[in-house]
Amino acid sequence: MLTSELRPGGRETAPTRLDDDDLELLLLIRHFERNLLDLFSAGKLNGTTHTCIGQEYVPVALARLLDDRDYVFSNHRGHGHYLSRFRDPAGLLAEIMGRDGAVCHGVGGSQHIFRERFLSTGVQGESLPVAVGVALHLKRHEPGALAAVFVGDGTWGEGSVYEALNMARLWQVPLLVVVEHNEIAQSTPTTLQMAGTIAARAAAFGVEHRRVESADVNAIRGLVAPAVERVRQANRPLVLEFATTRIGPHSKGDDTRTEEELRSVRARDWYLAYQKVFPDQFARLDTRQREAIERITRDVDARTPSRWEGSCPGQSES
Amino acid sequence: MAAPTMHRPTTATSSTQTITLAKGLNMGLRAAMERDPRVIVMGEDVGRLGGVFRITDGLQKDFGEQRVLDTPLAESGIIGTAIGLAIRGYRPVCEIQFDGFVFPGFDQLVSQLAKLHYRSQGKVKVPVVVRIPFGGGIGAVEHHSESPESYFAHTAGLKVVACSNPVDAYWMIQQAIATDDPVIFFEPKRRYWEKAELDPTARPEPLHTSRVLRRGSAATVACYGPMVRTCLDAAAAGAEDGIDLEVIDLRTLSPLDLGPVFESVRHTGRLVMVSEAPSESSIAAEVAARVQQECFYSLEAPVLRVTGFDTPYPPSKLEEEFLPDLDRVLHAVDRALAW
């Protein structure tokens, strides 16, 4: 069976207690993203950004299942992916604000981050073939490592997704496709932009698929760890689809959902559910992370502008 | 398919041999693969078949399926996976079957291949070569006869070259593969079967240099790829009428190497730029702009362009009307001389 639904610990179930480290990371991402929206409102940021408020638990749950040998390909909504891997809010904020200490010297901005084995890009689906190439190299030269790609449900409209799935299955490479299925592609509901299902599309290529309903970090890890391990050991591509919720707008002021829809979305927020069940732990860590982000913001804002500091070695050719 | 290689002892050196342009590419790929185990070849039908033009003939047999990969019909997938392989240390050479088939891979070329080196402040190298047979003249159709080089020259981060003869094909493909930057490598498909003498022990000129092929004083003719042969033929015909043309093969389209062109135009005072591609926003347009900027006081006539037309590539029975030929080149030379 190639596809299955992983329900235990679903939204209807009360959250389990997270260790402080996991909860801190979740809250770090939440406050980082909220802070970005505030900075935009205050006129402190230029351009645009995409926040992952509501989806933080997906990269947090996966963080402990990935290791340093693994590649991570992120997308336009990638701050949570980056923070889960590096816990570097100052470097990322400096990148977005164009300040000294920026992870890519301010060249990449919000959507184009490169750091060691982490790359993000904003064009939907274009990382998938690249990840297949990396995965093929990993299979040959670093067996046991994998290439993970974060995509959304909207990404499944792009043809490159299918070229990549086809090649990944043909060549049997360790590719982990993480789908953050938040039911909305920018402003278009998934029902209006997707025929059929992601499960059926994966199945058409003979690619294993798992759909995860849970928002509980502990439960998710327990459910998906064996499948992720199979990607590493058996070089089997896997599509891991998370039924999740984007609580914020696509970018800033572009949320077209009705107030009723937004209420329903907010009611599914892990943040509120966790606060209710574990108020003491939550209050302690929530305050700590909010204050940490405020501190980092003051510090980064006061820095000098970022400068291109990377060396650009001469072009070599024979 | 290319004629079999003929090994002919010559007076110059015993290693000299007569090869076709197709064979030059094949030999160049082979030499690069022998020299560097990181070089891999990938594309549609490049393995068992050896490519539709047999440029990769025999490579899979000799280097194995791990290094010569037959891919699905998926240009975005081919170029994308090549990028992934390149950032991990391979040096992939992708074959695009025909010029018009590169467009499904355009996103990967422009948004990833061209930009990763920049985005990583030079830390990531993406040494991918994308080979594209280009131009018309083989009786094919739209998508099989196009000249899309300007799209790529227009994109910062890509190097673009076009070989015109068997000897350059042999050297330039090896130089492109050895380049740490992405190189879009255009091959004049109608010239695949033309022959020349190759001395593999010779020293090649650097990749990004243009070359004066024929000295002359009446006017300068600049060209590249499939039009080089046409322009040399035009120069030979012109000489019979007493018109002494200087012919320059640009070879590199991005970056352009226009020093020899400026020098020539300062001497001749006239430039005819010849290319199969449509003229609007083309390589020919760029050359014309730079020559008028650098050689303004030397010019005795406006820079004239002889190009394909600003239309889709026509059906094969009309391509003789579309492609610049000897008469159109000489007509433009006459206009320049009569200015």
Side-chain angles (χ1 to χ4, degrees), chain A residues 59 91 132:
Chain A
V132 172

Side-chain angles (χ1 to χ4, degrees), chain A residues 7-76:
Chain A
R7 288 193 168 276
R11 296 299 177 90
E12 66 283 0
T13 315
T16 61
R17 186 179 175 90
L18 303 177
D19 63 36
D20 278 8
D21 192 57
D22 276 336
L23 184 56
E24 279 199 307
L25 182 53
L26 281 167
L27 294 166
L28 165 70
I29 300 170
R30 172 64 57 112
H31 290 296
F32 185 91
E33 298 288 59
R34 280 187 177 168
N35 181 55
L36 281 188
L37 293 174
D38 291 344
L39 288 170
F40 266 106
S41 302
K44 293 260 190 187
L45 293 181
N46 298 320
T48 191
T49 196
H50 308 105
T51 60
C52 66
I53 294 168
Q55 305 179 182
E56 298 94 336
Y57 63 89
V58 176
V60 172
L62 290 173
R64 288 191 198 172
L65 301 180
L66 301 177
D67 65 43
D68 290 347
R69 299 168 308 155
D70 297 331
Y71 265 79
V72 171
F73 291 87
S74 174
N75 58 9
H76 63 299

Side-chain angles (χ1 to χ4, degrees), chain B residues 6-333:
Chain B
M6 288 174 288
H7 293 276
R8 262 191 214 153
T10 69
T11 49
T13 151
S14 61
S15 62
T16 300
Q17 52 186 287
T18 305
I19 58 162
T20 60
L21 197 155
K23 185 66 182 178
L25 291 167
N26 181 271
M27 289 170 63
L29 286 168
R30 180 175 291 276
M33 294 184 82
E34 280 167 355
R35 191 181 305 124
D36 187 345
R38 298 170 303 171
V39 176
I40 58 171
V41 167
M42 51 197 299
E44 297 159 13
D45 309 300
V46 296
R48 195 179 295 184
L49 179 68
V52 290
F53 292 107
R54 307 296 189 274
I55 305 300
T56 57
D57 193 32
L59 298 181
Q60 190 180 64
K61 181 169 156 285
D62 294 341
F63 294 98
E65 293 180 2
Q66 293 265 311
R67 294 187 64 195
V68 181
L69 285 76
D70 273 323
T71 66
L73 306 183
E75 284 75 13
S76 178
I78 294 165
I79 297 165
T81 50
I83 293 167
L85 290 162
I87 64 180
R88 293 287 308 140
Y90 278 127
R91 303 185 86 89
V93 183
C94 304
E95 176 172 302
I96 301 297
Q97 233 166 40
F98 286 91
D99 33 65
F101 301 179
V102 70
F103 304 120
F106 205 65
D107 171 52
Q108 291 292 341
L109 283 167
V110 170
S111 294
Q112 298 266 61
L113 186 61
K115 293 195 172 64
L116 281 170
H117 185 73
Y118 165 80
R119 270 190 215 137
S120 65
Q121 297 95 59
K123 290 193 207 93
V124 171
K125 292 183 170 43
V126 201
V128 174
V129 174
V130 181
R131 293 183 34 243
I132 307 176
F134 80 133
I138 64 164
V141 293
E142 195 187 338
H143 303 137
H144 297 67
S145 304
E146 293 165 10
S147 299
E149 58 272 19
S150 293
Y151 294 117
F152 306 104
H154 192 67
T155 298
L158 299 176
K159 290 180 166 175
V160 184
V161 300
C163 62
S164 68
N165 64 72
V167 176
D168 274 358
Y170 174 75
W171 293 117
M172 287 171 73
I173 189 65
Q174 295 181 67
Q175 292 169 317
I177 292 168
T179 300
D180 283 340
D181 297 310
V183 179
I184 313 300
F185 192 93
F186 282 99
E187 303 169 0
K189 66 170 90 74
R190 67 197 283 199
R191 311 294 183 201
Y192 271 148
W193 305 281
E194 296 192 359
K195 292 175 188 166
E197 296 291 313
L198 170 72
D199 175 4
T201 63
R203 265 183 80 83
E205 293 162 65
L207 180 59
H208 294 291
T209 52
S210 56
R211 185 193 294 141
V212 180
L213 296 180
R214 180 190 171 106
R215 290 288 176 189
S217 55
T220 305
V221 177
C223 50
Y224 57 90
M227 281 294 108
V228 173
R229 169 48 52 202
T230 305
C231 292
L232 286 171
D233 290 346
E240 289 175 17
D241 294 339
I243 300 170
D244 193 14
L245 297 177
E246 184 139 306
V247 179
I248 300 178
D249 180 356
L250 293 179
R251 302 193 337 133
T252 175
L253 308 182
S254 183
L256 282 163
D257 174 36
L258 293 184
V261 177
F262 299 152
E263 194 182 323
S264 176
V265 171
R266 287 186 190 114
H267 177 59
T268 64
R270 293 171 171 85
L271 175 65
V272 174
M273 175 68 217
V274 185
S275 160
E276 279 186 38
S279 62
E280 194 160 319
S281 302
S282 61
I283 300 288
E286 179 65 23
V287 171
R290 291 211 213 167
V291 165
Q292 70 84 22
Q293 188 172 325
E294 295 295 324
C295 308
F296 189 70
Y297 290 108
S298 304
L299 283 169
E300 304 285 344
V303 177
L304 298 178
R305 288 180 286 166
V306 180
T307 65
F309 297 105
D310 292 316
T311 65
Y313 199 84
S316 55
K317 65 180 177 183
L318 291 176
E319 72 176 345
E320 295 297 315
E321 308 298 322
F322 182 92
L323 292 169
D325 59 9
L326 186 149
D327 288 338
R328 282 178 60 197
V329 173
L330 288 178
H331 180 65
V333 168

